[in-house]
Amino acid sequence: MKRRDFVGLTGLATGALFLPTVPGLGGNPVDPARLLIAADPAVNKRLADAALNAAKAAGATYTDVRIGRYLNQSIFTREKQVQNIASGESFGAGVRVIANGTWGFAATNTVTEAGLAKAAQLAVQIAKANSKVQKEQVKLAPQQGYGTVSWKTPIQQNAFEVPVKQKVELLLAANAKALENGASFVNSSLFQINEQKYFASTDGSYIDQDVHRIWPTLSVTAIDKASGKFRSRDAMSAPMGLGYEYLTPKAADKIPGPAGSDVIGYKNSYDILEDAAAAAKHARAKLTAKSVVPGKYDLVLDPNHLGLTIHESVGHPTELDRVLGYEANYAGTSFATQEWKAKNIPFGSKQVNIVADKLQPGSLGAVGYDDEGVKTKQWDLIKEGKLVDYQKIRDQAHIVGQKESDGCCYADSWSSVQFQRMPNVSLQPGKEKMSVDEMVSKVDKGIFIAGRGSYSIDQQRYNFQFGGQVFYAIDKGKITGMLEDVAYQANTQEFWNSCAGSCDQSDYRLFGSFFDGKGQPSQVSAVSHGSATTRFNGVNVINTARKIG
Amino acid sequence: MAILSQDESQAILKKVLSFSTSDECEATLSGSNGGNVRSARNAISTSGAADDVSLAVEARFGKRSGVATCNEFDDATLRRCVQRAEEIAKLAPESPEYMPLLGAQTYIAAPKSFAASTAGITPDFRATQIGKTMKICDEKKVTSAAFLNDEAGFVAKRNNKGLEAYQQYTNLSFSITVRTPDGTGSGYATGDYNDAAGFDAGTLTQVAADKAAMSRNAKAIEPGKYTVILEPAALVANTDASLLAALMNALDARNADEGRSFLSKKGGGNRKGEKLFDERVTIYSDPTNAEIASLTFAGDGRPQKKMTWIEKGVVKNLYTSRFWAQKAGIPDIPRPGGWIMEGGTQSVQDMIKGTAKGILVTRLWYIRPVDPQTLLYTGLTRDGTFYIENGKIKHPVKNFRFNESPIIMLNNLEAIGKPVRVNGNLVPPLKIRDFTFTSLSDAV
């Protein structure tokens, strides 16, 4: 595409930029013509070497450099108009060192040899200052250098090369579908991320990576003016590690929910027009849905809902930094301590097999190498209900008696220090053939839940309360109608031990979390969670309706 | 280059505007220097520093607009940046919500938002402060996790309609969680400041360590409705959503007018002017308040000034965009930077003394909306939850999950204490009756 064409098409949306800014992805607005110009690895290597050499000269015993160009574009619409477009670029470099056995880090947007050398010297200065009060020296798991290598998200169509006009038209068409089907209001948006990351370290790696992610989403609201009641339904899409091809729907990627629910799930492509129409119908139906009677129910959880339950109750408590106390002041610790693990207490029932995976195609967390130069892999976290391993990075492996990192180190920007983040964490589907309808047919008193709603869990990951987007009563093996005011409360271990099994591989899909927060200063990361529809027996359901007068 | 003076900033902005041929042009320059140190297990875990400066140019032809940015400041780059913004603007469609750029504005005198002591913080200062916390915790044989972050920055704006704005700011924030070695006790303290001279990590560490020791071996009591004393850090957090911030975030005129807010009225319109809270509830904003000095202009250049949001329980004002204010014929009020809830003179200790039976809450966690219709939120207590009986803390209790709305909460008000600064706001401790706890948590 010629630069002029791209700018011209982009102009459609920038016309809305003087509307109030919708919080986007951070970074600064950027000339769209620059989005398509790739960085030169040879230049990056020269810059990185300047930092590596300056740090060594200043006294560092280990150094890594990340030169990052982070592009994001987010398009926001409501009803018939574009609300905002933010095309952002953040470009700079971060230098991490070990000096006097202590970490130091400094970042700069002056991406020159002198600028990086200065940042390296500041990082060493910080490390040396901190070393005066430090008691234990950093121990890094050994890591081979890979020389000059590269990796790219296997996308078919770069979303940044798709004309903004085309994207806007799609979102506005989705809005029109929602309005035609009874929505009072509809907001839709499309987030696109491209991380162009160059990593170099004193281990001898020079790693060039090009990472892509995309998230189309919408929220529909229906209002009953007479009563003043309003209800909403959010998209059933998942953010994915895919290109714009995700927005070309394929019939084979559509997975219907249980009969009587009119829920449709999406696998590797998403039909935003179909989902917008369904969202409007669901939002209207929620206005008159029956308020749930609290009590114990067997829950049948759709992958688009269960993904976040996996994220909160399995993904986070198996992060080794939490287990060790590194997040105690912010995100919390974990019940799944090394002492707890040693007792061999069941984390879940024997049907629960959960894997960590940084390679899964189409997932948000897939990369070839992490942000400290470790090649990525797949490994078991929970096997037949037992916790067998954690998620680790290089300076943690020795603490649990292991010799290598799991490749879970990530920073959300060149200006952020890399630390342990969650890989894709997924529940394996059942080995026996089972459809969603078969699963529902065996439930006497239950609720089918789809979509991400209100999620909250304590700082050690025991007590949680999770909601959803749509809820359907199951009575004697059949869906009997829509419910509202539903949330379930449980203890993580009790919940996973109540797992009665999953549908088979044909129902397996990825859910995604695009802005998972952790760390101080807080950083976001994106991960996927796969599962098939899964049943949990005897879970406590509460009614969340209140009156405010 | 990160902290430019007013003269330096406006010289760049004037030059930028001189390159413009558009009907309207506005340029914004912003930058900051900052650093942080984080500890856990009584050792430093990460530490860093970053600086950045950027320029954004918005050019307009009629109702069409384009934006471009750069972070280099030679004449050729600046000229190219303006040309790109104009090129995009010429190709853009007209916006249905177009509002002309603001002309010259009068801003109230710049408050003490900048302190040289904070801007001058060095790696040694950070290491010394965090070292102090680790030493105290080593001596007490407890484990700490702490975070110290400081930043000095500036924002400068200028447009060809006569608007000119500039302000510098600094901020330092610190928080610490202290845990007992047996894993049964945890305590928390936090503080934030424009001027680092008021900061001492040791004092806050002591508070968190004392709470951790007090909270060991918590007893379980039944969930239900309790009188609670919510400390300021439980009402407004710098790490999470929070109940009072949720209420302030809901004071949006457009959402209320459109029927999708707790402030929407049956049949249409909003509930501004109605008494929705206890008459002791008064919340206002004032960017010149010496304790929480903030920017005197909003992101779009509108002046920030003293503004009452809730007065004696009555909703007095809602914030709105300029477009919605014009369309709805309502006052044009920007969203505030920080806010102040009026309180009394009682300390938390005084409030405990006056409580026959109740629960003291240090901090709330993972607060998420459950129902926007009623502003119902859920979340949990954390890092120091205690049972009060006959004016004294009797014993620590296990943490609870709550399901509560700040609207209901501020109608069940028993007492208001003395406000303190939390995350750039002044927040009093509150004593609330019938606060709804729905389940217990084993988490410490």
Side-chain angles (χ1 to χ4, degrees):
Chain A
M1 176 187 287
K2 290 178 185 171
R3 176 181 171 275
R4 180 83 191 184
D5 295 338
F6 188 85
V7 171
L9 293 168
T10 309
L12 172 71
T14 45
L17 275 171
F18 40 87
L19 298 177
T21 302
V22 178
L25 305 176
N28 306 310
V30 63
D31 174 4
R34 290 190 63 190
L35 301 181
L36 301 178
I37 305 165
D40 181 349
V43 172
N44 280 342
K45 184 173 187 305
R46 194 173 68 240
L47 292 165
D49 282 339
L52 297 180
N53 294 333
K56 188 178 179 184
T61 54
Y62 168 85
T63 304
D64 60 39
V65 187
R66 289 176 295 109
I67 301 169
R69 190 158 167 260
Y70 293 75
L71 307 179
N72 61 65
Q73 189 180 76
S74 36
I75 303 172
F76 300 92
T77 74
R78 59 172 293 168
E79 289 89 59
K80 296 177 179 175
Q81 71 184 74
V82 175
Q83 213 177 358
N84 195 7
I85 289 204
S87 274
E89 175 188 45
S90 184
F91 180 52
V95 184
R96 186 176 68 152
V97 303
I98 298 174
N100 290 357
T102 306
W103 284 121
F105 175 80
T108 181
N109 71 334
T110 305
V111 190
T112 61
E113 289 179 51
L116 265 72
K118 193 176 165 192
Q121 287 154 1
L122 177 57
V124 173
Q125 185 193 346
I126 289 169
K128 287 182 174 176
N130 291 339
S131 72
K132 292 174 193 165
V133 296
Q134 191 74 317
K135 288 167 293 189
E136 285 184 27
Q137 300 219 326
V138 176
K139 289 180 194 162
L140 277 187
Q143 180 58 51
Q144 69 171 101
Y146 291 105
T148 299
V149 291
S150 64
W151 186 89
K152 181 175 182 171
T153 304
I155 57 170
Q156 293 169 26
Q157 189 176 20
N158 185 343
F160 287 87
E161 292 180 351
V162 175
V164 170
K165 182 173 186 289
Q166 185 180 330
K167 300 173 197 173
V168 166
E169 283 175 353
L170 181 62
L171 293 183
L172 293 179
N175 294 359
K177 283 282 179 193
L179 295 169
E180 283 166 19
N181 284 279
S184 307
F185 297 99
V186 53
N187 292 80
S188 61
S189 50
L190 178 63
F191 299 95
Q192 303 137 87
I193 297 278
N194 176 207
E195 297 181 349
Q196 298 167 14
K197 304 196 287 190
Y198 188 81
F199 173 91
S201 77
T202 45
D203 293 324
S205 288
Y206 293 90
I207 302 168
D208 199 11
Q209 297 197 94
D210 188 21
V211 181
H212 292 259
R213 299 193 282 268
I214 190 165
W215 185 23
T217 188
L218 54 89
S219 183
V220 163
T221 304
I223 294 176
D224 177 23
K225 279 191 180 171
S227 67
K229 192 172 177 180
F230 62 94
R231 289 291 180 267
S232 64
R233 201 276 245 168
D234 295 348
M236 294 292 181
S237 60
M240 300 290 285
L242 293 171
Y244 198 72
E245 68 274 8
Y246 182 52
L247 279 157
T248 302
K250 298 180 189 70
D253 289 334
K254 295 180 186 180
I255 300 182
S261 73
D262 73 352
V263 168
I264 295 174
Y266 301 96
K267 218 167 195 174
N268 296 313
S269 65
Y270 172 55
D271 191 338
I272 192 171
L273 301 181
E274 178 182 67
D275 195 33
K281 289 175 188 166
H282 285 155
R284 293 215 69 79
K286 285 168 86 168
L287 288 168
T288 54
K290 193 177 161 190
S291 194
V292 71
V293 176
K296 299 270 186 188
Y297 290 84
D298 293 347
L299 301 183
V300 176
L301 302 182
D302 183 86
N304 193 278
H305 170 88
L306 183 58
L308 196 51
T309 302
I310 295 168
H311 176 90
E312 299 291 14
S313 65
V314 183
H316 281 312
T318 55
E319 293 168 325
L320 186 56
D321 61 346
R322 284 188 197 243
V323 170
L324 296 172
Y326 288 101
E327 285 284 327
N329 185 46
Y330 178 46
T333 58
S334 171
F335 72 87
T337 60
Q338 291 169 269
E339 296 75 22
W340 183 89
K341 180 171 174 285
K343 289 177 188 166
N344 223 16
I345 299 166
F347 193 111
S349 67
K350 286 201 180 295
Q351 283 89 344
V352 179
N353 290 288
I354 294 180
V355 296
D357 190 351
K358 290 287 290 179
L359 302 165
Q360 197 166 3
S363 68
L364 295 164
V367 289
Y369 304 84
D370 77 352
D371 282 351
E372 55 181 1
V374 177
K375 206 167 191 173
T376 53
K377 64 178 185 180
Q378 182 198 82
W379 71 104
D380 289 322
L381 291 175
I382 295 173
K383 210 166 183 180
E384 295 186 348
K386 293 285 173 64
L387 174 64
V388 293
D389 207 348
Y390 297 106
Q391 313 156 34
K392 300 167 290 294
I393 59 173
R394 289 183 68 186
D395 63 4
Q396 299 167 345
H398 73 278
I399 300 173
V400 287
Q402 294 188 16
K403 291 181 179 169
E404 66 174 37
S405 161
D406 295 322
C408 296
C409 206
Y410 176 76
D412 66 359
S413 161
W414 55 267
S415 61
S416 305
V417 69
Q418 60 269 58
F419 71 122
Q420 199 250 293
R421 297 310 304 259
M422 196 188 300
N424 305 304
V425 172
S426 300
L427 174 68
Q428 299 300 85
K431 288 175 184 160
E432 306 294 325
K433 190 165 172 50
M434 181 180 286
S435 69
V436 181
D437 283 331
E438 282 175 284
M439 179 174 278
V440 168
S441 73
K442 291 171 186 166
V443 173
D444 190 46
K445 178 195 172 193
I447 301 174
F448 170 69
I449 304 177
R452 172 186 181 160
S454 178
Y455 270 66
S456 172
I457 191 165
D458 71 37
Q459 78 277 11
Q460 287 190 302
R461 308 275 146 177
Y462 287 112
N463 173 306
F464 63 69
Q465 177 177 309
F466 297 154
Q469 285 301 317
V470 287
F471 314 92
Y472 292 89
I474 303 171
D475 187 29
K476 296 182 177 59
K478 288 195 172 147
I479 298 277
T480 56
M482 191 180 256
L483 296 172
E484 70 160 347
D485 307 323
V486 178
Y488 59 98
Q489 287 189 348
N491 170 293
T492 292
Q493 292 157 252
E494 289 170 6
F495 176 78
W496 283 103
N497 275 284
S498 77
C499 179
S502 298
C503 294
D504 61 50
Q505 178 70 36
S506 65
D507 188 59
Y508 182 88
R509 278 159 278 164
L510 292 178
F511 166 89
S513 176
F514 214 63
F515 299 113
D516 181 33
K518 185 180 163 188
Q520 290 175 304
S522 186
Q523 297 184 38
V524 295
S525 80
V527 294
S528 293
H529 303 287
S531 71
T533 304
T534 301
R535 175 176 172 174
F536 296 85
N537 289 340
V539 181
N540 185 39
V541 170
I542 65 165
N543 182 306
T544 60
R546 297 290 293 271
K547 285 189 177 164
I548 59 168
Chain B
M1 174 173 194
I3 306 294
L4 299 178
S5 69
Q6 182 164 8
D7 288 346
E8 289 168 333
S9 304
Q10 293 297 342
I12 292 174
L13 295 174
K14 278 180 193 171
K15 189 186 288 181
V16 168
L17 295 178
S18 76
F19 295 149
S20 172
T21 60
S22 57
D23 299 338
E24 297 179 273
C25 187
E26 183 165 282
T28 306
L29 196 59
S30 59
S32 68
N33 278 327
N36 59 71
V37 58
R38 188 184 195 205
S39 70
R41 298 157 64 90
N42 291 2
I44 291 172
S45 53
T46 61
S47 181
D51 65 84
D52 200 3
V53 180
S54 66
L55 171 74
V57 179
E58 180 180 0
R60 296 176 171 193
F61 294 97
K63 294 181 178 180
R64 304 168 190 273
S65 167
V67 173
T69 71
C70 62
N71 58 359
E72 295 170 278
F73 299 95
D74 58 279
D75 283 6
T77 304
L78 296 178
R79 194 184 294 275
R80 205 163 49 240
C81 188
V82 172
Q83 285 170 347
R84 285 175 180 154
E86 293 183 352
E87 188 178 12
I88 296 168
K90 285 175 183 172
L91 292 164
E94 292 192 343
S95 167
E97 296 193 0
Y98 165 83
M99 292 293 293
L101 289 177
L102 289 169
Q105 301 291 306
T106 303
Y107 300 115
I108 50 181
K112 292 179 179 175
S113 56
F114 182 89
S117 61
T118 313
I121 285 176
T122 63
D124 281 328
F125 173 89
R126 293 181 205 116
T128 301
Q129 289 289 344
I130 212 81
K132 202 187 290 187
T133 72
M134 297 191 300
K135 185 167 184 288
I136 291 169
C137 291
D138 280 343
E139 287 168 359
K140 289 179 174 288
K141 298 191 180 345
V142 291
T143 305
S144 66
F147 179 58
L148 168 61
N149 189 67
D150 55 82
E151 182 187 21
F154 75 99
V155 182
K157 292 180 79 71
R158 190 175 190 90
N159 71 28
N160 64 1
K161 296 290 205 64
L163 183 141
E164 182 182 346
Y166 176 85
Q167 197 169 330
Q168 292 183 348
Y169 64 89
T170 50
N171 188 60
L172 179 151
S173 63
F174 176 80
S175 61
I176 182 164
T177 300
V178 174
R179 294 174 64 79
T180 58
D182 61 1
T184 70
S186 183
Y188 177 77
T190 185
D192 60 295
Y193 318 81
N194 288 112
D195 187 345
F199 164 64
D200 175 45
T203 306
L204 292 164
T205 303
Q206 196 69 51
V207 171
D210 290 346
K211 278 218 161 152
M214 280 171 61
S215 70
R216 289 182 60 202
N217 301 313
K219 295 179 182 175
I221 61 173
E222 284 297 309
K225 289 186 183 292
Y226 286 91
T227 293
V228 294
I229 295 172
L230 300 173
E231 293 197 26
L235 289 159
V236 175
N238 55 15
T239 54
D240 195 7
S242 58
L243 288 171
L244 283 187
L247 174 64
M248 295 305 293
N249 287 339
L251 300 181
D252 177 81
R254 186 171 187 171
N255 276 347
D257 291 344
E258 288 180 339
R260 42 178 167 171
S261 159
F262 84 93
L263 287 165
S264 303
K265 201 183 259 185
K266 282 181 190 175
N270 68 52
R271 302 181 72 180
K272 182 181 157 186
E274 290 187 29
K275 184 174 176 298
L276 297 179
F277 309 102
D278 184 287
E279 64 187 13
R280 286 167 291 178
V281 175
T282 294
I283 301 176
Y284 66 97
S285 55
D286 180 1
T288 66
N289 184 292
E291 287 184 81
I292 57 163
S294 57
L295 293 181
T296 59
F297 52 91
D300 61 3
R302 280 186 282 175
Q304 292 281 17
K305 56 187 179 185
K306 188 171 182 178
M307 178 63 56
T308 300
W309 303 98
I310 298 168
E311 187 173 44
K312 295 181 178 174
V314 177
V315 178
K316 299 296 284 187
N317 285 294
L318 303 176
Y319 58 79
T320 182
S321 65
R322 291 175 59 218
F323 164 74
W324 193 253
Q326 186 183 62
K327 182 180 167 91
I330 58 176
D332 170 5
I333 304 169
R335 189 185 174 116
W339 44 268
I340 298 154
M341 182 168 179
E342 282 188 350
T345 56
Q346 285 191 317
S347 67
V348 170
Q349 287 306 319
D350 295 333
M351 294 172 91
I352 292 169
K353 279 180 193 166
T355 302
K357 283 184 180 176
I359 309 281
L360 175 66
V361 177
T362 298
R363 181 187 183 193
L364 298 177
W365 168 247
Y366 214 140
I367 302 170
R368 289 295 180 273
V370 175
D371 181 7
Q373 184 97 51
T374 56
L375 219 59
L376 183 73
Y377 278 74
T378 192
L380 299 116
T381 64
R382 177 179 171 181
D383 302 323
T385 308
F386 304 96
Y387 182 65
I388 303 165
E389 197 170 274
N390 298 326
K392 287 183 180 167
I393 289 177
K394 195 169 180 191
H395 56 75
V397 291
K398 281 196 172 189
N399 287 308
F400 290 106
R401 171 172 296 286
F402 68 86
N403 273 268
E404 193 54 276
S405 163
I407 306 157
I408 295 170
M409 187 178 91
L410 293 179
N411 274 291
N412 290 344
L413 197 53
E414 293 263 308
I416 311 180
K418 185 182 178 188
V420 298
R421 176 169 169 157
V422 183
N423 200 25
N425 310 290
L426 288 179
V427 184
L430 299 179
K431 186 171 164 185
I432 310 284
R433 65 177 174 274
D434 292 335
F435 191 86
T436 310
F437 292 123
T438 55
S439 56
L440 282 177
S441 163
D442 288 327
V444 176

